[in-house]
Structures are given as structure tokens and as C-alpha cells.
Amino acid sequence: MDYFLTEEQQMIVDIARQIADDKIIPVRAELDEKEEFATEILNDIAQADLFGLYIPEEYGGFGGSCFEIVLALEQFGRGCVAIATSFAASALGAYPVLLSGSEEMKQKYMPDVASGKKKAAFALTEANAGSDASGIQTTAVLDGDEWVLNGTKQWITNAGKAQIYSVVAITDRSKGARGASMFVVEDTDPGFSCGPKEKKMGIRASATCELIFKNCRIPKDRLIGREGMGFITVMKTLDLSRPGIAILGVGLGQAALDEAVTYAKQRVQFGKPIISFQAIQHMLADMAIEVEAARALVYGAAKHIASHPKDMSKASSMCKVFATDMAMKVTTDAVQVLGGYGYMREYPVEKMMRDAKILQIYEGTNQIQRNVIGQELNKEYTKKI
Amino acid sequence: MNIIVCIKQVPDAKDVRLDPKTNTMAREGVESIMNPFDRHALEEAVRLKEQHGGTVTVVSMGPPQAETVLREAVACGADEAVLVSDRAFAGADTWATTYTLGKAIVKNGPFDLIICGKQAIDGDTAQVGPGLAKRLNIPYVSYVRKITGFDGGALSLQRLMDDGYDEVEIPLPGLLTVVKEINEPRVPSLKGKMKAKSLSLKTLNAEDIGADPDSIGLPGSTTQVVKVFSPEFKGERAMLEGTVDEQVEQLVNKLGTYL
Ligand SMILES: Cc1cc2nc3c(=O)[nH]c(=O)nc-3n(C[C@H](O)[C@H](O)[C@@H](O)COP(=O)(O)OP(=O)(O)OC[C@H]3O[C@@H](n4cnc5c(N)ncnc54)[C@H](O)[C@@H]3O)c2cc1C
Ligand SMILES: Cc1cc2nc3c(=O)[nH]c(=O)nc-3n(C[C@H](O)[C@H](O)[C@H](O)COP(=O)(O)OP(=O)(O)OC[C@H]3O[C@@H](n4cnc5c(N)ncnc54)[C@H](O)[C@@H]3O)c2cc1C
């Protein structure tokens, strides 16, 4: 389907597609097998100017919106969700600074993020604070001209690979949700370190580790925005970033569909290509419908969010749930279409199925997204009635 | 360092077919691409520019459609593009091609280095690089697989050989032809693509480069393609029987008839 992209948007798609086809797809299986971070490919993405897509021109970026980054992420997701996640997590780490940071802070950090010279990461989750962020234990205490951070963050994407970390810490526990703040921590700050690499089911070429803060001292001006604004910044960040996760589902679903149709045309059983069996045809048809429906919803939501409306959350959550549930189903069906060959690592669909699962979990589980959508509906209809 | 990269537009190798009646290449409906070796030439030039400063100018002789590969080269880091195009250039062999490219390059201005691909995947002669160097009276090194150093006046290189590589040095201005091992070409950048869209190409025709009409195109070509054909595929098979020794003897006898 033609979505009538502008010439510039089409350029972004073309470049990202070429990176996926020429650089990512030939090595994705090997990187997955070796659980190796795709440093070179991220450098290729940087060289192609795509790290700056969503960053304003005054900070060295392209000045696009969350729709432009969605276009690039769709192609990367088609190539490999692990590599796409590493790319997306840098944006996730940069959004808090862009949304709530001071002018000086943006000047200081954004040009290097836009050029891809430095990567960012976003650190909210802890062992006892997953869906429920109120369980955060990490604290930040002002001591003279420095904040002192203590605590441990868990499962942080790009840990050890990023130079800039947007970290949530409690600054005043008595204030509840208004007692959390966000800080920029640099990889070289004293008292900061990363834990060992987690062993994961999928997206194995992405880096996921703990962040450990032991009397980690950072200058006072590393506070992002004002004290107590931490959760507000987190919510705004996730509203902006979720279409990016949603579109990874679309890219991944498309990749699985491509593999399944190609295979079904070639595989002969009972004297016929299996695509001639209606059971297979209907499965492929459903996959195609669902991928396209998800794409249309994510593009729509991303464009809505790019217009800076007040009501971002519902659209953001809806597209995340729909597209990532779709990716799980479509990749599972792709394995079914390929049968036993689909289950073998020799073919790419088993990795796609393993990679799909994370999309339903991170950046807020799909249950939590449904909670958000339900609450928003409740609010909307209270106003109407 | 001011670098010229010679780029040829060629039919996509996946699609090459010969018209069995006319024995010419069927170009209709065949997609044109940048000669793959020239991508590596361009990448090396852009890397040299990034390290040592200067400019990269891409030059192509060909029909107006060759503009596409020149713009693609700009998207991948070239600064300027020159299209050498004239109906009178049509039918050029390597002799006429090197004459024309040489004239165009001199007309374009001073340079320190010219980089060509090892060969074009359609013509396949690998003559244009060395021929061009001869026309311009500059030294050349072909099959370059690595640039190991630059001291301001000369480049240190590795030249790929069948049994290893040679270490050679070339004073500038000079010309290199490169093999694929030299680098991994980059994909276009967003800024590059935007520049490629708006950049106005420099176009030079026969008159602009002051070409002698008898030295260009078909009249200037000393070679003529008399016949082009696909070799017939002979899929003969023979199974040898008997003990291993007997089979070996049969094989030796059979092979002997070909010697
Ligand atoms: C099927 C076929 C058969 C041919 N047979 C002959 C023949 O027998 N004898 C003969 O003399 N010619 C022949 N030609 C013509 C010859 O290909 C071209 O005339 C010549 O322009 C380029 O030679 P090449 O393609 O072998 O390039 P090569 O010498 O293989 O190319 C080396 C490099 O030179 C540069 N280069 C080549 N052409 C251009 C260009 N037009 N613009 C810019 N840079 C360029 C590129 O950097 C390229 O990588 C034939 C062409 C075809 C299609
Ligand atoms: C590979 C990977 C990368 C990650 N990267 C990052 C990162 O870069 N930065 C970061 O901060 N975090 C990151 N995370 C953490 C991720 O965001 C959390 O795992 C996620 O938010 C869920 O938290 P949890 O795992 O603790 O699950 P829990 O919150 O313990 O949930 C367990 C189950 O209960 C359900 N559940 C919980 N509460 C409710 C409720 N109220 N209603 C209905 N169902 C509920 C959940 O949906 C889930 O099914 C990453 C995680 C992984 C696995």
C-alpha cells in the first residue's frame, strides 16, 4: 500500500532499507548466535545520518518527528530486532533530555547523539520496579554541588555500550510519584559501573545489563528538568517512543510474511507447492492483513503524536499493543508455514519468533498498555456523559 | 588531496542477456547500476578525503542516464560530479574512452589522484584505468587492495597478486585501479542524498573538452566487436566403471584426448 510519503521520507526509507538488506540481514544470524553487539552496523547507521532523525536541527539533527524515526525503525526491524532495539534505545535515552532538559544540557549532549558518536540509554527498571515504577529503590541525594546516586538498575538496553544514561532515582520518597527525578549519568562518572551481560531468549545481539551506582557523584546540573518531575518525563518519553517499538513489530511481521510466502511457493508436498493448499493460503492472507493493518495504525499514531497533541497516551499504547501482538502471532504462524524447517536455526523465522516476544514486554507490557487504554477510555467517556 | 573517481554505468549483472539474433547486449528493461568496482573506488576516495582533506569529483562518460549513478555517488560522499556526454562519443572502445576521459579530466582542472575500478562488469577489459594513466602521462598501479600510507607526495600501496601481494609506492599525481578487497562501501547518507538531489551536474560535450572528432566514438575506436556469443553449454557425462585403478586408467585415457 502506498502511504504517500514525502520525498525526504522516502529517502529515509531507501537508506534504512539498504542498510537492512546490505549490512544487517547478511550477518544477523551470526550476531544472534554469538550474542555479539553490532558495533559496525550502528556505525553504518551513524554514517548515514540516521541517529539524528528526531533531533532538532539546532542540535545537529535532521529535525524530523517520531514518524521519521518510525520509518527507519520499520526497515531495521525487518532486518533484525536486536540491532533495531540498540538503535531505538539511544533515542529512548535521548528523549528525556530533549523533552525536559535545559538548553545547555541539550547543547552539551544532543549533537553527539545525533551524529551517533555517542549512544544513549534509558534506565527506569529495577529488580522490584517493573510495571510498578513506585517500587524504585535507587536514590539521589544532593551533597553540596553534587548529586550522589545509589542503587541498581536492571535489564538496561545499551548498558556498557552507551556513554549517556538517563536515569530515574528517588529524590524525596515522602512525595510519592512527585518524589522521583531524572539525571544524566555519563559512563565515566565515578561510582558508576555495569553488570555482566544477561543471557536472553531473543534480541541476543542487543546489550542488556545492570547499571550499578555506588556513591556515584555527578554535578548538580545533571538533573534533567526540575526535581520531582521524573515520572512526568518518563511518561512523556514512553508516549513518544512506543510507536517505535510498535513499528519494530510491523517490520518483523513483514519479514516473517516475506519468508513464509517465499517458502510456501517453493515447498512441494503431495505434488504441489504448499501455497496451493487453502489452509496455507488463508494463514498467509491473515498474516498479510494483520501486518498491513498494524502498519496503518502505527503510521497514524506516529503522525498524531508528531503533531504534539495533549492526548498521546491512548494512541501510543494502542499501536504498541496491536502491532506487537500481531508480530508474535505472525512470526509464530511463519514458523508453522515452514514446518520443521521453520524450527531450525538454518532458517530465519525461529529467530524472528524469539525476537517477537520482547516487543510485548519492554517499554511497558501489553497488559499495562491495555490498562492505560482502559483508563483513558474511562476518562474520555466521563467527560462525554 | 583532490581526487577524481571514474564511474561507469553498467547493466545489472543479474540481468545480462545477449540477443541471440543480433549478438548485442539486450539493454531494454535491464536495470542500470554503478559498476560494482567503482563503488569501492569511490569509497576509498571518500575515506582519503576524510583523512587528508580535499575534494572528490566523480566523472562518467556515457548517455544522459549516467546522471543517476553520478548522483548516487554524491549521496555516498562525492562533492562534485561531471557527466561527459555527447552522441559523438557513442561506440567508443577502450582507446577512444581513455582519450575522451583524459580530455575531460584535464578540462575539469588539477587533480592529485585518479581512482578507477579494476574493471567494468560489462566490457570487462580492465584497460581503461591503465590506458587513462598513459593518456595523462602519469604513473599507475592496478589491483590495489590496500592503501597503507600517504606522506604528502606519494601513496604506499598493496597490489593484489595471484600468490600474495606486492608493496609498492606511487608518486602523485597518479592513478589507481582497485579491487573489491580494498574496503566495504558505505550506504548513502541522508545529507548526501539531499545534496545529490539538488546538486547541478557539470556536463561536458565533445566541443567543451576540445576533442578531435576522429579520436572519439566509433571513428576513434581501433577495435570492432565482430561477434559476441554465449558459449554453448555442453553437459556431457560419463560414468566410469570397474576398480579404482581401472577407473583412474580410463580417466587418464579420456583426459589425454584433450591435451
Ligand atoms: C559486450 C561488450 C564487448 C566489448 N568489447 C570490446 C572490445 O573487444 N574491445 C574494446 O576496446 N572495447 C570493447 N567494448 C567497449 C568497452 O567496454 C568500452 O568501450 C569502454 O568504454 C570501457 O571499457 P570496459 O567496459 O572494459 O572498462 P574497464 O576498462 O574494464 O573499466 C575499468 C574502469 O575504468 C573506468 N571506466 C570505464 N569506462 C568508463 C566510462 N565510460 N566513464 C567513466 N569511467 C569509466 C571505471 O572506473 C572502471 O571501473 C565492449 C563492450 C561491450 C559491452
Ligand atoms: C530485553 C529487555 C530489555 C529491556 N530494556 C530496558 C531498558 O532499556 N530500560 C528500562 O528501564 N527497562 C528495560 N527493560 C525492562 C522492561 O521494561 C520490564 O521488563 C517491563 O516493564 C516489565 O516489568 P517486569 O519484567 O518487572 O514485569 P512485572 O511488572 O513483574 O510483570 C509481570 C507480569 O505481570 C503483569 N502485570 C504487572 N502489573 C500488572 C497490572 N497492574 N495489571 C495487569 N497485569 C500486570 C505484566 O504485564 C507481566 O505479564 C527491559 C527488559 C528486557 C527483558
Side-chain angles (χ1 to χ4, degrees), chain A residues 122 124-125 130-131 155-157 358 361 363 365 367-368 371:
Chain A
F122 177 84
L124 171 68
T125 306
S131 301
W155 303 335
I156 304 309
T157 303
I358 189 61
I361 297 172
E363 293 203 20
T365 66
Q367 287 74 29
I368 295 298
N371 289 354

Side-chain angles (χ1 to χ4, degrees), chain B residues 6-8 35 38 61 92-93 97 117 119-120 125-128 223:
Chain B
C6 295
I7 291 186
K8 189 181 185 189
N35 180 37
D38 302 353
M61 180 187 89
D93 68 357
T97 299
Q119 71 197 79
T125 67
Q127 290 172 7
V128 171
T223 21

Side-chain angles (χ1 to χ4, degrees), chain A residues 225-241:
Chain A
R226 282 180 287 111
E227 210 182 313
M229 267 180 63
F231 283 140
I232 295 171
T233 302
V234 166
M235 293 307 155
K236 282 189 185 167
T237 294
L238 293 174
D239 279 348
L240 205 51
S241 71

Side-chain angles (χ1 to χ4, degrees), chain B residues 88 91-93 95-97 99 135 212-223:
Chain B
D93 68 357
W95 182 253
T97 299
Y99 172 82
R135 294 276 189 190
D212 161 21
D214 291 333
S215 302
I216 56 173
L218 214 46
S221 295
T222 50
T223 21

Side-chain angles (χ1 to χ4, degrees), chain B residues 5-9 18 25 27 35 37-38 41 59-62 91-95 97 101 115-129 223-225 228:
Chain B
V5 180
C6 295
I7 291 186
K8 189 181 185 189
Q9 189 181 39
L18 289 178
M25 209 181 302
R27 285 186 186 265
N35 180 37
F37 291 98
D38 302 353
V59 179
S60 186
M61 180 187 89
D93 68 357
T94 57
W95 182 253
T97 299
L101 283 175
I115 311 184
C116 292
K118 178 185 80 157
Q119 71 197 79
I121 58 164
D122 56 349
D124 244 356
T125 67
Q127 290 172 7
V128 171
T223 21
Q224 271 187 359
V225 181
V228 180

